[in-house]
Amino acid sequence: MAFDIEMIKGVYTTMGERVNKAREIVGKPLTLSEKILYSHLWDGTPNKAFQRGKDYVDFAPDRIACQDATAQMALLQFMQAGKSKVAVPTTVHCDHLIQAKDGAAADLKNANSVSSEVFNFLESVSNKYGIGFWKPGAGIIHQVVLENYAFPGGMMIGTDSHTVNAGGLGMVAIGVGGADAVDVMAGMAWELKFPKLIGVKLTGKLSGWTAPKDVILKVAEILTVKGGTGAIVEYFGPGAISMSCTGKGTICNMGAEIGATTSTFGYDESMERYLRATERADVADAANKVKEHLTADAEVYANPEQYFDQVIEINLSELGPLLNGPFTPDLSTTVGKAMTEKAKANDWPIKVEWGLIGSCTNSSYEDLSRASSIAQQAIDKGLKMKAELGINPGSEQVRYTAERDGILGIFENLDAKIFTNACGPCIGQWARYSDPKNAPKNSIVHSFNRNFAKRADGNPNTHAFVASPEITAAIAIAGRLDFNPLTDKLINENGEEVMFDEPTGWELPPKGFAVDDNGYLAPEADGSHVQVSVKDDSERLQLLTPFEPIGDSITGAKLLIKAFGKCTTDHISMAGPWLRFRGHLDNIANNTLIGAVNAFNKKTNFVKNQLTGDYGGVPDVQREYKKAGIKTIVVGDHNYGEGSSREHAAMQPRHLGVAAVIVKSFARIHETNLKKQGMLGLTFANEADYDLIQEDDTFNFLDLNAFAPGKQLTLEVVHTNGTKDTIKLNHTYNDAQIAWYNEGSALNLIKKQNA
């Protein structure tokens, strides 16, 4: 039986009435996204139509999922909220704090030793507050959610940007910062600007070497890393229906890389098959009773241009396998000749050193089975690996089943390394180098989702390319970035020319899923007696002190850094070795913006201290400003804060004394995180004003005391030569968000309301 089945049945009980009322109010047929949104309003039955991209709306998510790196800060905040139990079903998944190095058994043992303090903290807090706990090694959060918790027509939020993976089972699942999750845990509404809608019509059918991963790689090329910002992407058409449930999950997962609020598919037979295969026949039976509400109205898909803000059409029969990268997930290249030409023109290393299969994007049974069919061919055809190969199964259930069915054994016969059921290299938890900063230029191919510089191994010279699991396997065997398995031959051990046949695999295990211990710990019914302690001298955990309000007067502020080009949450708060400090705000603040490129010298972690005239690391300089009682400003480019949902990228600058972040444009989650932490997240009304900012500037806000929704703020920029520029700044704060700013943070407001 499924987890929380009564909650799911409750959603379905009210869905029909709410969808019908929404259709009446909106006055036209509804997309699936609209049906889910309107059936999850905080106020219940809809009573007004919302403007896409304009109206802020209060929602009531069905559940929350947190991974161990972000859960620490989220739960430290929830402990301050004055509640005895979470208000909605919530789970914590330990998948980020396990470093890939020697293989699953050794790596898991090491993680349980090194991070025992954090794991014990998360387990005890979960037990105390009624939160389900998935132990280290149980699996990657989003695969576990898809296998156990996702359900068609539901709404969930999660403290990880790839929460959107659950769209593969027809959910509206959205990545958020920890403060957003705390609101919902505390029984409050969750606020979101009503999304715009992008429809992607999939015609034709996948075949041969083309995989679901290639669909989202193509969409990323079309929309770029910011083209989905503020929108839900809804996939439909015969190509969508013909695709597996986990394939749909792959596509939704990487929607985070186009900035989409989330992505989703309508309920169909592949989802029903997956639900039944994962022992959730009760959910499938309940969904079948309301299935007309679990997909868009027929008129929408028949005439999508009338109902979506943008429509993209992709013919899967014409789509070929792609490689996206390096350094950005939207730079797409067709395998083979096009890659040869582009690699030579850009001096990308042709030799591939590693192939990595796994991550929350591609670690299902189907993914492993299709990749293993290529590995088996290599064995049968007498081929030797030219690159190293690493595998991260998505969950203990997938790992156990794949081992039983001989899939992992095939990889091991090629000397592949089987890592823990965890994120591993995808998030930088990979001990590839002893000195990554000085490691050589190289290329790797992986089935992950992100490929920013230094993302996987800490090496700025690693060129990472994103591909499907089967293409990753083939290229790892060939050892060449420009290898095209559709046309190219390889020389085997006997000197013979051989070619790969098309990959094959199973959508679901023929013998069904199996597992001995899935790694789940249920919380006690009454956890009030559970003690949660944090040592005063801990390096890993630190109880939070409420932020003081920044106030309505910011004058004499200094420039901390003007970031040049791409500045993701990885640049603002790196992962990898820094993950160990995710529960200790002051310690992790020592990595604040150390990856951002200074626009004035094109160096990282090297900014001018206006108090001394010397240059130093960003956190060190900022601590000097804080010590002197001087507020600071961060300036950035487009899509500032793209990538992970980590709220540390907002909390760390806030903790160190940064008052405002002023950019050309924001990624959605990061903008919200800044607001939640009581900071100013502002955009240039005239993007060219970015160029006016100089290294020694001082800033005065002239009308912050009149901060109001829809009203621009005025900033005076004072240059060292005595000249001044006055620029206008836009913002998206509403009255409630301005109240967060005035109180010092959203959490401060929650505590005040619960006092």
Side-chain angles (χ1 to χ4, degrees), residues 5-144:
I5 185 62
E6 294 307 316
M7 176 271 286
I8 295 171
K9 289 179 178 178
V11 172
Y12 291 160
T13 297
T14 60
M15 195 167 194
E17 177 188 354
R18 293 180 179 184
V19 167
N20 291 334
K21 186 63 176 178
R23 190 183 297 110
E24 174 189 326
I25 291 170
V26 173
K28 61 180 181 179
L30 298 176
T31 63
L32 168 64
S33 304
E34 289 171 308
K35 290 182 179 183
I36 298 175
L37 292 170
Y38 277 107
S39 63
H40 284 83
L41 298 177
W42 179 255
D43 292 331
T45 303
N47 56 29
K48 64 170 286 190
F50 297 107
Q51 284 186 280
R52 299 176 190 171
K54 291 187 178 181
D55 289 339
Y56 281 93
V57 182
D58 286 340
F59 291 102
D62 300 312
R63 67 175 315 109
I64 303 167
C66 308
Q67 41 93 337
D68 49 354
T70 53
Q72 296 170 64
M73 200 59 71
L75 295 180
L76 284 165
Q77 291 177 87
F78 180 73
M79 288 167 64
Q80 295 188 37
K83 300 291 184 178
S84 61
K85 200 169 187 177
V86 291
V88 302
T90 302
T91 52
V92 167
H93 305 256
C94 296
D95 61 357
H96 274 55
L97 299 179
I98 305 169
Q99 187 181 55
K101 183 181 181 183
D102 299 317
D107 294 345
L108 182 58
K109 182 179 180 180
N110 181 63
N112 278 321
S113 174
V114 171
S115 294
S116 60
E117 180 185 8
V118 173
F119 293 146
N120 291 338
F121 167 76
L122 294 174
E123 183 180 338
S124 62
V125 174
S126 297
N127 199 19
K128 183 176 184 65
Y129 294 107
I131 298 169
F133 181 75
W134 291 81
K135 297 183 294 185
I140 304 171
I141 175 173
H142 309 303
Q143 180 66 30
V144 173

Side-chain angles (χ1 to χ4, degrees), residues 531-547:
Q531 297 296 312
V532 178
S533 62
V534 174
K535 299 176 184 176
D536 291 339
D537 61 350
S538 172
E539 291 186 350
R540 302 291 299 272
L541 298 165
Q542 180 188 45
L543 295 176
L544 296 176
T545 301
F547 291 132

Side-chain angles (χ1 to χ4, degrees), residues 572-592:
I572 305 168
S573 175
M574 286 186 178
W578 289 95
L579 284 171
R580 66 190 304 269
F581 298 122
R582 283 282 180 86
H584 196 295
L585 184 55
D586 193 58
N587 282 347
I588 198 168
N590 289 323
N591 82 356
T592 303

